[in-house]
Every structure is written in structure tokens, then in C-alpha cells.
Amino acid sequence: MSESYGLQVLERPAAQGLIAHEAAHQWWGNMVTCEDWTHFWLNEGFASFMAAAYLQHRFGDEEYRKQVDGWMQRLERLRAAGTDRALVFDNWDKPTADDRAVVYQKGAYVLHLLREELGEDVFWRGIGEYTRAYYGRSVNTAEFQQAMQRVSDKDLSAFFDRWVYGHGDTRPPLDEP
């Protein structure tokens, strides 16, 4: 992290998002990591989402909402450019800036939507279950889905088909979660 970033945080403590993102990687990226690059969103989407969740906890709902709005705007730009795609990549050989936006911003946004779908208690219990079950292991998206389904006692296939495996023009507008 640069000196200029440190100065930003000193001036505006809510700018701690990068620190929180990198700290989140101690869990989602290091202790639970994707089995290959096709499931990279499980590292970066999680770290981005958890950074926002930290900002919400530390600074309030408005800071979290700013993050969510930023993810939505980036996803809208991806869609407008025709570069939105599934979170599970068929190949990650030469990722573009848009591909990175998919795994970071769209991945975080999808976790936000899953949180809304399941509710606070079930969502966070699911995250805990997923993290404990796969601690020290490499995972794929299906395993994450299964962990969330176990805790919620809900079939999340339609949600995952739409938001994780779906992409581009085949998906409904963002204002229809």
C-alpha cells in the first residue's frame, strides 16, 4: 500500500477499504481459496464484499451502500459494453480489466444480493459454515452454493444460475434482483 493511500486513510478513515480487502484475503483467498482460476471470484469477490461489510460495521450503512452502488454502476457499464459474463470463467489466460471487474465488483455484488435473498442471520451463518467446512482447502463455486443451501435449507439453483453462471443479454436488468 502506498504512502498516498495511507495519507488518504488518515484524512478519511472510511477509505480503509483496501486494508479491509487485503485483510479479508487471510480468510477468503488464503485459508479458503479457489481450486483454480475459473472460480477466482471466490477470492476477489469475497474480499471486496467483506471489505464493504467491514465498512458497514465500522462506519454505518451509508458506507456500505456506497460500495454496493459502485458495484452496480460498474456492472451496468459492463453490460452496456457487452462484456458482462458469468462469474465462473471458462478460462483466465489473459484477463482484461473488464474480466477483473467481473470477479471483483460483480462477485461482491452477487454476494450482496445473496445476503438480501437469505436475510442477515442465514447469510452470515452460511458464510461461517462455508468458511469452517472448507478451511485450509481449495474450493469451487458448487461447494460454496452447497454450503449456503445447507444452512438456508433452500434450493439456490435459480439464484446461482442467474447471478453466478448467467451473463450478458440473457440476464434481466439489475433493478430486478
Side-chain angles (χ1 to χ4, degrees), residues 131-161:
T131 304
R132 281 187 296 280
Y134 298 104
Y135 183 86
R137 295 189 39 213
S138 298
V139 295
N140 60 49
T141 301
E143 291 167 319
F144 171 61
Q145 179 180 343
Q146 291 163 4
M148 298 307 282
Q149 288 180 163
R150 277 192 304 273
V151 169
S152 67
D153 198 30
K154 193 173 181 182
D155 181 359
L156 296 171
S157 298
F159 179 92
F160 274 76
D161 287 347

Side-chain angles (χ1 to χ4, degrees), residues 6-145:
L7 293 172
Q8 277 182 325
V9 170
L10 290 174
E11 290 174 20
R12 188 173 98 69
Q16 295 175 28
L18 178 60
I19 296 168
H21 177 101
E22 296 306 329
H25 275 312
Q26 297 306 306
W27 292 98
W28 304 279
N30 293 347
M31 296 316 300
V32 177
T33 193
C34 56
E35 71 181 15
D36 59 44
W37 292 106
T38 62
H39 301 278
F40 193 43
W41 82 277
L42 293 171
N43 290 14
E44 297 303 343
F46 261 78
S48 296
F49 173 81
M50 291 301 176
Y54 165 76
L55 293 175
Q56 180 181 29
H57 174 76
R58 176 74 170 82
F59 299 104
D61 291 342
E62 186 177 334
E63 284 300 320
Y64 178 76
R65 192 75 229 167
K66 286 179 190 175
Q67 299 298 307
V68 172
D69 290 345
W71 302 331
M72 285 175 34
Q73 290 169 13
R74 184 63 173 113
L75 185 49
E76 291 284 357
R77 288 193 306 274
L78 290 170
R79 286 185 172 182
T83 55
D84 181 20
R85 60 182 295 165
L87 285 175
V88 177
F89 273 62
D90 51 353
N91 103 37
W92 188 260
D93 292 341
K94 295 178 184 167
T96 66
D98 286 345
D99 292 340
R100 287 182 189 90
V102 168
V103 298
Y104 284 77
Q105 284 85 26
K106 181 180 178 180
Y109 184 66
V110 167
L111 289 169
H112 162 76
L113 293 176
L114 186 59
R115 181 183 186 184
E116 287 186 335
E117 174 81 16
L118 298 177
E120 288 295 305
D121 182 55
V122 173
F123 175 80
W124 289 110
R125 278 191 296 123
I127 296 297
E129 163 68 20
Y130 166 71
T131 304
R132 281 187 296 280
Y134 298 104
Y135 183 86
R137 295 189 39 213
S138 298
V139 295
N140 60 49
T141 301
E143 291 167 319
F144 171 61
Q145 179 180 343

